[in-house]
């Protein structure tokens, strides 16, 4: 699975980066994003859901979060 | 009687405000909710260029004010603005143009259609004479409350009560992580546990939920009454929750009727001060008669803000 590390990137740059990365991914593919605690983990999942992607889960790792999603259709 | 050079009916609702200097006025435009078409904005710019000083002022309550308008040009200004259906606002002891946040169509935080509410109130209640003092209404779409509901005579703020369909929940934990208020935590069964007492009805859980397991059980406006700013500020307090959007005009009209009645003979006094004098129970019970399912059990009086050492006659 492709992992995209967005740690250390602030809002809304992290969301825009996630969006750009997803442009190169096939619809239906599962991708994971590493997000910082705080604003990023609160905002980025919601914004990606709004873009039509399917959120699959969120897991806490040491000091950060892993968001798993399936790329949605256009 | 001197020959009338201008149509005095234009002045009736106010909106023409005397400036320093001879013959000059500010013309305050009616912009409910702060939204206007670009065509209208162009027309206003054209009129301001032709009759004004070369700049406009964006008022605190979302109006555009034309500056340095000569009173002899009032009729022409009104007529030319009318080409784009732009009207003049009000001042004085009337229901003012409602303010509102940008609205739920494009703002991801918006829970209710504040723009629609502002337009409806503007159409139905704008300019109503209170008999006493100004009367300000605002609409906020979410608990961020950018329009500041508690410092309006009647302030509305959008809210949703969340409901969980546990079968639809995939235990991702995003809702608990998103809940800034600590009203949600993940339980032993890996499903969210809702602590209603901590919820401020922001709807973040509903927005982030990947499966739609969280949905809105109730939606409407939280209503705060009795606020104002100015020389002696008051913070308005809670009177109702989840008032449906379609009952907003009726709700304001009920408050307005109470105000008109209770302030009879009191002169130039704002709603909040009348509530302090009459007691909040009187207004709350009046509202309960019409809106029993939304009115809160009890409230408190508008809260006095100390803007300096206690003023004479200001009881704290």
């Amino acid at each position: 699975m492709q992992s995209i590390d967005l740690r250390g990137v602030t809002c809304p740059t992290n969301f825009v980066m996630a969006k750009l990365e997803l442009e190169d991914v096939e619809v239906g593919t599962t991708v994971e994003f590493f997000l910082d605690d705080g604003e990023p983990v609160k905002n980025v999942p919601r914004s990606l859901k709004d873009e039509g992607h399917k959120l699959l889960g969120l897991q806490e790792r040491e000091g950060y979060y892993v968001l798993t999603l399936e790329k949605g259709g256009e | 009687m001197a020959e009338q050079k201008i149509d005095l009916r234009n002045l009736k609702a106010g909106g023409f405000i005397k400036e320093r200097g001879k013959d000059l006025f500010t013309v305050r435009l009616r912009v409910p909710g702060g939204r206007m078409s670009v065509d209208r904005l162009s027309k206003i710019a054209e009129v301001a260029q032709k009759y004004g000083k070369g700049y406009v002022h964006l008022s605190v309550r979302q109006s555009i004010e034309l500056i340095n308008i000569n009173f002899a040009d009032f009729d022409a200004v009104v007529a030319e603005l009318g080409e784009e259906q732009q009207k003049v606002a009000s001042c004085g002891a009337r229901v003012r143009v409602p303010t509102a946040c940008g609205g739920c169509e494009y703002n991801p935080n918006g829970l209710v259609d504040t723009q629609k509410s502002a337009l409806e109130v503007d159409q139905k209640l704008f300019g109503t004479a209170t008999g006493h003092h100004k009367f300000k209404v605002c609409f906020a779409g979410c608990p961020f409350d950018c329009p500041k509901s508690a410092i309006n005579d009647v302030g509305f703020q959008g809210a949703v009560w969340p409901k969980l369909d546990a079968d639809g929940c995939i235990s991702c934990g995003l809702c608990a992580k998103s809940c800034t208020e600590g009203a949600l935590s993940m339980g032993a069964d890996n499903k969210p546990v809702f602590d209603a007492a901590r919820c401020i009805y922001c709807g973040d859980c509903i927005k982030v939920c990947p499966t739609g397991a969280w949905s809105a059980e109730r939606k409407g406006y939280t209503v705060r009454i009795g606020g104002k700013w100015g020389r002696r500020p008051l913070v308005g307090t809670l009177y109702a929750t989840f008032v449906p959007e379609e009952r907003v005009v009726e709700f304001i009209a009920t408050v307005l009727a109470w105000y008109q009645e209770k302030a009879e003979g009191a002169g130039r006094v704002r709603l909040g001060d009348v509530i302090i004098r009459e007691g909040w129970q009187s207004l709350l019970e009046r509202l309960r008669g019409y809106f029993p399912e939304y009115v809160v059990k009890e409230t408190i009086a508008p809260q006095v803000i100390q803007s300096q050492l206690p003023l004479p006659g200001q009881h704290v």
Side-chain angles (χ1 to χ4, degrees):
Chain A
M1 187 181 2
Q2 189 183 346
S3 299
I4 299 155
D5 190 352
L6 297 173
R7 288 174 294 175
V9 186
T10 55
C11 303
T13 313
N14 44 18
F15 166 62
V16 176
M17 281 174 72
K19 216 172 130 54
L20 292 172
E21 291 284 349
L22 283 166
E23 280 182 5
D24 301 330
V25 172
E26 297 241 347
V27 172
T29 308
T30 303
V31 183
E32 61 180 17
F33 294 95
F34 300 163
L35 297 168
D36 285 322
D37 197 0
E39 292 299 305
V41 73
K42 282 174 187 166
N43 293 336
V44 175
R46 188 170 131 187
S47 302
L48 289 170
K49 180 191 164 190
D50 259 4
E51 295 270 310
H53 304 296
K54 190 176 174 193
L55 308 188
L56 300 174
L58 184 76
Q59 276 182 328
E60 192 170 3
R61 270 186 211 159
E62 291 148 12
Y64 65 98
Y65 286 85
V66 181
L67 173 76
T68 317
L69 70 73
E70 183 187 307
K71 177 168 172 168
E74 297 308 319
Chain B
M1 200 174 154
E3 186 198 343
Q4 279 189 12
K5 293 185 187 131
I6 56 162
D7 186 346
L8 294 174
R9 281 174 301 184
N10 284 335
L11 303 181
K12 210 175 164 190
F16 297 86
I17 303 152
K18 182 76 185 77
E19 292 178 1
R20 293 165 194 254
K22 193 171 175 288
D23 296 343
L24 297 177
F25 286 76
T26 289
V27 180
R28 178 183 289 164
L29 304 182
R30 186 169 160 189
V31 189
R35 184 186 288 189
M36 71 168 64
S37 70
V38 176
D39 284 345
R40 191 178 277 193
L41 186 60
S42 301
K43 174 58 74 179
I44 293 168
E46 189 187 310
V47 172
Q49 189 75 272
K50 190 167 168 187
Y51 297 101
K53 180 75 174 171
Y55 60 81
V56 297
H57 177 242
L58 301 180
S59 85
V60 168
R61 281 186 64 85
Q62 302 183 314
S63 159
I64 292 180
E65 294 173 335
L66 308 180
I67 308 302
N68 262 215
I69 304 297
N70 191 297
F71 88 106
D73 293 328
F74 281 179
D75 291 356
V77 165
V78 168
E80 287 180 36
L81 290 171
E83 289 165 17
E84 276 295 334
Q85 290 76 46
Q86 177 60 55
K87 297 190 172 81
V88 175
S90 71
C91 52
R94 299 179 182 86
V95 175
R96 301 297 182 84
V97 179
T99 57
C101 62
C104 60
E105 306 113 292
Y106 64 90
N107 185 325
N109 291 315
L111 303 171
V112 288
D113 196 343
T114 56
Q115 286 289 321
K116 192 177 161 198
S117 296
L119 279 179
E120 193 186 352
V121 169
D122 183 65
Q123 276 161 14
K124 296 183 177 161
L125 298 174
F126 166 77
T128 307
T130 65
H132 314 298
H133 211 322
K134 64 184 86 170
F135 193 91
K136 294 181 177 177
V137 174
C138 78
F139 295 94
C142 74
F144 282 120
D145 202 355
C146 300
K148 303 172 184 69
S149 63
I151 58 168
N152 278 253
D153 293 274
V154 187
F156 293 85
Q157 176 231 294
V160 288
W161 179 271
K163 181 182 71 177
L164 180 70
D165 164 23
D167 292 338
C169 173
I170 56 168
S171 301
C172 70
L174 274 163
C175 57
K177 193 61 216 168
S178 299
C179 182
T180 315
E181 303 302 317
L184 286 175
S185 54
M186 296 307 279
D189 61 350
N190 231 3
K191 301 278 181 189
V193 180
F194 180 47
D195 178 1
R198 302 181 83 155
C199 180
I200 61 160
Y201 323 128
C202 68
D204 282 355
C205 49
I206 299 170
K207 287 172 197 152
V208 78
C209 180
T211 62
W214 282 109
S215 61
E217 180 158 41
R218 297 179 83 189
K219 190 177 83 137
Y221 284 114
T222 295
V223 190
R224 303 188 173 91
I225 303 181
K228 67 184 182 102
W229 221 240
R231 296 178 182 217
R232 296 185 181 217
L234 292 175
V235 172
T237 59
L238 183 69
Y239 280 75
T241 55
F242 302 107
V243 171
E245 294 169 75
E246 59 273 17
R247 295 195 69 187
V248 158
V249 169
E250 188 192 348
F251 194 97
I252 298 169
T254 307
V255 177
L256 198 53
W258 183 90
Y259 174 44
Q260 286 164 330
E261 180 189 317
K262 299 294 177 187
E264 187 78 52
R268 198 165 171 271
V269 56
R270 284 285 283 274
L271 175 63
D273 289 313
V274 179
I275 295 171
I276 290 174
R277 202 186 62 191
E278 295 284 328
W280 54 261
Q281 293 84 350
S282 169
L283 177 56
L284 195 70
E285 289 318 309
R286 172 73 60 90
L287 287 166
R288 198 187 307 287
Y290 296 93
F291 305 91
E293 60 275 60
Y294 310 112
V295 168
V296 295
K297 220 166 117 193
E298 54 184 17
T299 187
I300 53 173
Q303 299 294 291
V304 174
I305 297 298
Q306 289 289 40
S307 51
Q308 59 184 73
L309 290 172
L311 293 161
Q314 189 168 28
H315 305 290
V316 183

